[in-house]
Amino acid sequence: DILDNLQPTEVVIAPEGLSIKSNGTEARTEWRHVGRITQDEDFIRLYILGKNVSLMIPKRAFSDSSDAEGFFKDAKHFCKEA
């Protein structure tokens, strides 16, 4: 099953960009490479420009809905300012 291979992942956002840490590796992306950011009931999605990919962050990963909303608003702000 594909879900057996999933590793814990940490996503950190800052004014410079976002950092994704998983399985002992880290990838960084500047906000200028993020095309748009959306959310629905279950996920926050960050769409990477020039690639047919989005980073899907489950809202259940946050301690509560206000933390998820804060992350979404901060990401939108950082992306807009880039």
Side-chain angles (χ1 to χ4, degrees), residues 4 15 18 30 50 60 67:
D4 293 335
L18 59 114
E30 295 176 1
R60 69 178 184 276
D67 282 349

Side-chain angles (χ1 to χ4, degrees), residues 3-74:
L3 296 178
D4 293 335
N5 295 322
L6 293 178
Q7 299 293 321
T9 301
E10 178 182 6
V11 178
V12 177
I13 60 172
E16 314 71 58
L18 59 114
S19 173
I20 304 159
K21 300 175 186 178
S22 180
N23 202 25
T25 62
E26 180 177 2
R28 294 174 186 235
T29 302
E30 295 176 1
W31 289 113
R32 63 188 178 97
H33 297 295
V34 177
R36 70 186 164 116
I37 303 168
T38 64
Q39 69 175 334
D40 60 25
E41 185 177 318
D42 298 316
F43 293 95
I44 297 171
R45 291 179 178 84
L46 294 92
Y47 294 87
I48 307 304
L49 288 171
K51 302 188 185 257
N52 192 19
V53 67
S54 68
L55 175 61
M56 295 175 56
I57 304 168
K59 289 187 174 179
R60 69 178 184 276
F62 296 92
S63 59
D64 58 34
S65 61
S66 66
D67 282 349
E69 187 62 26
F71 180 96
F72 177 74
K73 286 180 178 178
D74 287 347

